[in-house]
Amino acid sequence: MSTVKLIDYEEAGPGVRQVYDDIMATRGTDWVNNFWKALALQPELLRRTWESVKAVMAPGVLDPLTKEMIYIAVSATNACDYCTNSHTAAARSKGMTDEMLSELMGVVGMANQTNALANGFQVDVDSAFKSGGLNS
Amino acid sequence: MSTVKLIDYEEAGPGVRQVYDDIMATRGTDWVNNFWKALALQPELLRRTWESVKAVMAPGVLDPLTKEMIYIAVSATNACDYCTNSHTAAARSKGMTDEMLSELMGVVGMANQTNALANGFQVDVDSAFKSGGLNS
Amino acid sequence: MSTVKLIDYEEAGPGVRQVYDDIMATRGTDWVNNFWKALALQPELLRRTWESVKAVMAPGVLDPLTKEMIYIAVSATNACDYCTNSHTAAARSKGMTDEMLSELMGVVGMANQTNALANGFQVDVDSAFKSGGLNS
Amino acid sequence: MSTVKLIDYEEAGPGVRQVYDDIMATRGTDWVNNFWKALALQPELLRRTWESVKAVMAPGVLDPLTKEMIYIAVSATNACDYCTNSHTAAARSKGMTDEMLSELMGVVGMANQTNALANGFQVDVDSAFKSGGLNS
Amino acid sequence: MSTVKLIDYEEAGPGVRQVYDDIMATRGTDWVNNFWKALALQPELLRRTWESVKAVMAPGVLDPLTKEMIYIAVSATNACDYCTNSHTAAARSKGMTDEMLSELMGVVGMANQTNALANGFQVDVDSAFKSGGLNS
Amino acid sequence: MSTVKLIDYEEAGPGVRQVYDDIMATRGTDWVNNFWKALALQPELLRRTWESVKAVMAPGVLDPLTKEMIYIAVSATNACDYCTNSHTAAARSKGMTDEMLSELMGVVGMANQTNALANGFQVDVDSAFKSGGLNS
């Protein structure tokens, strides 16, 4: 169970309610998930985090589904159960199929493997890859 | 510098050369990067890892560029310098623009932030998110 | 459930009991938490770990509450549920308020975000920051 | 070297310059460090990240030096060289002595050790610690 | 609960059944654990991962029990509950005693502590240790 | 470069010199590596850490070489360059061959891959694996 009191809509002050309203409006839902309720003790932390998530996950040069899959990739790597479940659910609601999840996790697993190998062997970055290939 | 001897093409045995040839053919390049040379001491490890990476990164229900960006997301989270540089270079060669890299990293940064918050507050998974929304 | 047998006081040998007694005396409690019971199979591991934790968490140039909050920061980053819960409880018992926990996690979340960004963009350390500003 | 082009003040647009000006004014310096220059390709990412860091690191119920030390704790755990160096430098400039850094790292090292032990033995959270002691 | 449907033997296609049969034959068991059932949605991911695990865990210059203990070390560090439990069980079945598990975790805890200290103090690699002592 | 001043033997006080002498005597060397010099600002941290490392790495039910390889496994997973290099050097000096290092890293890579898959798919621990097979 959460280590902080979760703030429900009913007991929330106006600043928190405003964020909750925006979360529900943006997502077209009628409930707010526990993550946000855990931040609401500090209304500014709640507001800032929500504004950032909303901006980051909005359509841009990357589409929203791709962004949700990147979120899953990071969450699986960080062993964050809450984030893995919530963003897998979000990705499904945006059209991710079982095949896509499976293929995504294939890449994530492989990346974690080769990350460990490169770090473990202390492999030097090839000159062609320096700066992420920025100047090549 | 690498903690194992890097095996160059000239000194490699036929099994290793076969993998090196396939790496170059698959990528349309005339050189093999250090990562593979570090695995070549154990030809089976080299072959297995390459076969897996080749399969995982091939086009499927996710396109190759999306896969490279997922690789970057995991590598940034794991603090793997080699992997971050090499897959950023690979993503650029497949069309990733500066804007896409910047937007990608915005998501990666946000995911690492909210992962820490969810783990730190020990937030319970909402029932609607259980099983990644599989049954909802 | 724990992957090793937890050793209760009643079944413990004299060396383990001595450590358990010191844990209870130091903390002013009449029970020993599961973490220590899981180490007790190897009395030396138990003794060494307890001696180190006791020394590290004692008042010094940093006060005990600050130290508990640093423990929470590391535990949230490492996704250690046991440690996050136990050190949040310990910090509360030393005076951490909800506001302090919330502000602490704001910093922890931000640090995880900017860590990922700095690693993901492979940003070079500015010369003024080299050696942690030791010589500037 | 950075995988994105660093944007210097001279070549920056007005939105980026405004953030750079605020960074320098807030810190009382006449230069901007590389981290921010790496975010400036996406002015919104730069602005959002800076606004959050500024808010999170401002004095609150925790003092700014404590916050810098928490930043170091997370950065050491995440193996972020840039962040470790830059926040160690920042903590020094706010009064952290060698003794404080040394004592801080003692806690960070210990926390990483016991995190691994608790996760490795899969120790159950004691009932008194559940919810971080919120209800006890 | 798993974020993907677990594929049982009865509902599996021939390719998946072939891998399941090999898992049971290799291990001398009459059941397949959940991990493999979670991969079976993508038969190729299942096959590749199993082939790699089988090869990596087979006797070589390192014995199978040592390999299981290395698996535990990584799983404890990554906070992977499933992997920690399953590989601790596997190591027990291969002869790991409580004393060995306890001593193993002592090393794992210590390694995580000194890793954090070395990263936190940004200690330079001594020249004698460069390249992992390859040339010394 | 290190974020703390490294304390050389010549400038060290008697307590630090005693630890340095023990490090050199235990290892049969005539020099002390940077890691210990970085801890010496806080003689108690130095002494405690060295006592623990010495105890943990001494022969027990696991042999010293196996322990060094476990150290490498953790260090590769944590992206600790210093630790990876120093413990690879130590393992080599205790008899680790290139073949052993290569096979070790094969396991480490695989463990990181399957850790990410198990966490990413949120696979439930099979009942036979619960408590690490302690009761089965």
Side-chain angles (χ1 to χ4, degrees):
Chain A
M1 287 209 308
S2 172
T3 62
V4 282
K5 185 174 170 6
L6 302 181
I7 308 291
D8 282 321
Y9 194 93
E10 290 66 30
E11 56 190 324
V16 168
R17 283 191 180 191
Q18 193 176 38
V19 176
Y20 284 4
D21 286 337
D22 193 37
I23 291 173
M24 292 187 284
T26 302
R27 295 183 167 172
T29 59
D30 61 355
W31 61 290
V32 169
N33 55 305
N34 288 339
F35 179 76
W36 305 109
K37 293 179 182 170
L39 303 189
L41 262 172
Q42 195 184 332
E44 260 314 287
L45 177 63
L46 170 69
R47 194 193 56 73
R48 244 190 357 254
T49 308
W50 165 245
E51 295 291 345
S52 292
V53 166
K54 187 166 74 162
V56 154
M57 300 306 278
V61 289
L62 304 180
D63 63 284
L65 177 51
T66 296
K67 290 177 174 183
E68 289 291 356
M69 292 193 295
I70 290 164
Y71 233 106
I72 296 171
V74 173
S75 302
T77 302
N78 277 336
C80 182
D81 293 352
Y82 186 87
C83 313
T84 301
N85 277 284
S86 59
H87 287 279
T88 300
R92 280 188 197 280
S93 76
K94 288 179 182 159
M96 182 179 69
T97 62
D98 282 346
E99 286 67 33
M100 291 168 80
L101 175 58
S102 186
E103 198 165 304
L104 163 66
M105 288 307 304
V107 178
V108 170
M110 208 64 222
N112 275 281
Q113 180 182 41
T114 56
N115 279 200
L117 289 169
N119 279 333
F121 283 132
Q122 293 282 297
V123 185
D124 288 315
V125 179
D126 306 77
S127 58
F129 293 157
K130 289 255 171 75
S131 302
L134 184 62
N135 307 309
S136 62
Chain B
M1 286 207 308
S2 172
T3 62
V4 284
K5 186 174 170 5
L6 302 181
I7 308 291
D8 283 320
Y9 193 93
E10 289 67 31
E11 54 189 324
V16 168
R17 285 192 179 190
Q18 195 176 37
V19 176
Y20 284 4
D21 286 337
D22 192 38
I23 291 172
M24 293 187 284
T26 302
R27 296 182 166 172
T29 58
D30 61 353
W31 62 290
V32 170
N33 56 304
N34 287 339
F35 179 74
W36 305 109
K37 293 179 182 170
L39 302 189
L41 262 172
Q42 196 184 329
E44 261 314 287
L45 178 62
L46 170 68
R47 194 192 57 73
R48 249 195 345 261
T49 309
W50 166 245
E51 295 290 345
S52 293
V53 166
K54 188 167 73 163
V56 155
M57 299 307 277
V61 290
L62 305 179
D63 62 284
L65 177 50
T66 296
K67 291 178 174 182
E68 290 291 356
M69 291 193 296
I70 291 164
Y71 233 107
I72 296 170
V74 173
S75 302
T77 303
N78 278 335
C80 181
D81 293 352
Y82 186 88
C83 313
T84 300
N85 278 285
S86 59
H87 287 279
T88 302
R92 280 190 196 281
S93 76
K94 288 177 182 160
M96 183 179 69
T97 61
D98 281 347
E99 285 69 31
M100 291 169 79
L101 175 57
S102 186
E103 199 166 302
L104 163 67
M105 288 307 304
V107 179
V108 170
M110 208 63 224
N112 275 281
Q113 181 183 41
T114 57
N115 279 200
L117 289 168
N119 280 333
F121 284 132
Q122 293 282 299
V123 186
D124 288 314
V125 179
D126 307 78
S127 58
F129 292 159
K130 289 258 170 74
S131 302
L134 184 62
N135 307 311
S136 63
Chain C
M1 287 206 307
S2 173
T3 61
V4 283
K5 184 174 171 6
L6 302 181
I7 308 291
D8 283 321
Y9 193 92
E10 290 66 31
E11 56 189 324
V16 168
R17 284 191 179 190
Q18 195 177 37
V19 176
Y20 284 4
D21 287 337
D22 192 37
I23 291 172
M24 292 186 285
T26 302
R27 295 182 167 173
T29 58
D30 61 354
W31 61 289
V32 170
N33 55 304
N34 288 339
F35 178 74
W36 305 109
K37 293 179 182 169
L39 302 189
L41 263 171
Q42 196 185 330
E44 261 314 288
L45 177 62
L46 171 68
R47 193 192 57 74
R48 246 190 356 256
T49 308
W50 166 246
E51 294 291 344
S52 293
V53 166
K54 187 167 74 160
V56 154
M57 299 307 278
V61 289
L62 304 180
D63 64 284
L65 178 50
T66 297
K67 290 178 174 182
E68 291 290 357
M69 291 193 297
I70 290 163
Y71 233 106
I72 296 170
V74 173
S75 303
T77 303
N78 278 336
C80 182
D81 293 353
Y82 186 88
C83 313
T84 301
N85 278 286
S86 59
H87 287 279
T88 301
R92 281 189 197 279
S93 75
K94 289 179 182 158
M96 183 180 69
T97 62
D98 281 348
E99 286 67 32
M100 291 168 81
L101 175 57
S102 186
E103 197 165 305
L104 164 66
M105 288 308 304
V107 178
V108 170
M110 208 63 222
N112 275 281
Q113 180 182 41
T114 56
N115 279 199
L117 289 169
N119 279 333
F121 283 132
Q122 292 283 298
V123 186
D124 287 315
V125 180
D126 306 78
S127 58
F129 292 158
K130 289 257 170 75
S131 302
L134 184 63
N135 306 309
S136 63
Chain D
M1 286 209 307
S2 172
T3 61
V4 282
K5 184 173 170 11
L6 302 180
I7 308 291
D8 282 321
Y9 193 93
E10 290 66 30
E11 55 190 323
V16 168
R17 284 192 180 189
Q18 194 176 36
V19 176
Y20 284 4
D21 286 338
D22 192 37
I23 291 172
M24 291 186 285
T26 302
R27 296 182 167 172
T29 58
D30 62 354
W31 61 291
V32 169
N33 56 303
N34 288 339
F35 179 75
W36 304 110
K37 293 180 182 169
L39 303 188
L41 262 171
Q42 194 183 330
E44 260 315 287
L45 176 63
L46 170 69
R47 194 193 57 73
R48 249 192 350 259
T49 307
W50 166 245
E51 294 291 345
S52 293
V53 165
K54 188 167 73 162
V56 154
M57 300 306 279
V61 290
L62 305 180
D63 64 283
L65 177 50
T66 297
K67 290 177 173 183
E68 289 291 357
M69 291 193 295
I70 290 163
Y71 233 105
I72 296 171
V74 173
S75 302
T77 303
N78 278 336
C80 182
D81 294 352
Y82 186 88
C83 313
T84 301
N85 277 286
S86 59
H87 288 278
T88 301
R92 280 189 197 281
S93 77
K94 289 178 182 160
M96 182 179 69
T97 62
D98 281 347
E99 286 67 31
M100 291 168 79
L101 175 57
S102 186
E103 199 166 302
L104 163 67
M105 288 307 304
V107 179
V108 170
M110 208 63 224
N112 275 281
Q113 180 183 37
T114 56
N115 279 200
L117 289 169
N119 279 334
F121 284 132
Q122 292 283 299
V123 186
D124 287 316
V125 179
D126 307 78
S127 58
F129 292 159
K130 289 258 170 73
S131 302
L134 184 63
N135 306 311
S136 63
Chain E
M1 286 208 307
S2 172
T3 62
V4 282
K5 183 173 171 10
L6 301 181
I7 308 290
D8 283 320
Y9 193 93
E10 290 66 31
E11 56 190 322
V16 168
R17 284 191 179 190
Q18 194 176 39
V19 176
Y20 284 5
D21 286 337
D22 192 37
I23 291 173
M24 292 186 284
T26 302
R27 295 181 167 174
T29 58
D30 61 354
W31 62 290
V32 169
N33 56 305
N34 287 340
F35 178 75
W36 304 109
K37 292 179 183 170
L39 303 189
L41 263 171
Q42 195 184 332
E44 260 315 287
L45 177 62
L46 170 68
R47 194 192 57 73
R48 245 192 354 257
T49 308
W50 165 245
E51 295 290 345
S52 292
V53 166
K54 188 167 73 161
V56 154
M57 299 307 277
V61 291
L62 305 180
D63 62 285
L65 178 51
T66 296
K67 290 177 174 182
E68 290 290 357
M69 292 193 297
I70 291 163
Y71 233 107
I72 296 171
V74 173
S75 302
T77 304
N78 277 337
C80 181
D81 293 352
Y82 186 88
C83 313
T84 300
N85 278 285
S86 59
H87 287 279
T88 301
R92 280 189 198 280
S93 76
K94 288 178 181 157
M96 182 179 69
T97 62
D98 282 347
E99 285 69 31
M100 292 167 78
L101 175 57
S102 185
E103 199 165 302
L104 164 66
M105 289 306 304
V107 179
V108 170
M110 207 64 224
N112 275 281
Q113 180 183 44
T114 55
N115 279 199
L117 289 168
N119 279 333
F121 284 132
Q122 292 283 298
V123 186
D124 287 316
V125 180
D126 306 78
S127 58
F129 293 158
K130 289 257 172 74
S131 301
L134 184 64
N135 306 310
S136 63
Chain F
M1 287 209 306
S2 173
T3 62
V4 282
K5 184 172 169 13
L6 301 181
I7 307 292
D8 282 320
Y9 193 94
E10 291 65 31
E11 55 189 323
V16 168
R17 283 193 179 188
Q18 195 176 38
V19 176
Y20 284 4
D21 287 337
D22 193 37
I23 291 172
M24 292 186 284
T26 302
R27 296 182 167 173
T29 58
D30 61 354
W31 62 291
V32 169
N33 55 304
N34 288 339
F35 179 75
W36 305 109
K37 294 179 183 170
L39 303 188
L41 263 172
Q42 196 184 331
E44 262 314 287
L45 177 63
L46 170 68
R47 194 193 56 73
R48 247 191 354 256
T49 309
W50 166 245
E51 295 290 346
S52 292
V53 166
K54 188 167 74 161
V56 154
M57 300 307 277
V61 290
L62 303 181
D63 62 284
L65 178 50
T66 297
K67 291 177 174 183
E68 290 291 357
M69 292 193 296
I70 291 163
Y71 233 106
I72 296 171
V74 174
S75 303
T77 303
N78 277 335
C80 181
D81 293 353
Y82 186 87
C83 314
T84 300
N85 278 285
S86 59
H87 288 279
T88 301
R92 279 188 196 282
S93 76
K94 288 177 181 159
M96 182 179 69
T97 61
D98 282 347
E99 285 69 30
M100 291 168 79
L101 175 58
S102 185
E103 199 165 302
L104 164 65
M105 289 307 304
V107 179
V108 170
M110 208 64 224
N112 275 282
Q113 180 184 41
T114 55
N115 278 201
L117 289 168
N119 280 333
F121 284 131
Q122 292 282 299
V123 185
D124 288 315
V125 180
D126 306 77
S127 58
F129 293 157
K130 289 256 170 75
S131 301
L134 184 62
N135 306 311
S136 61

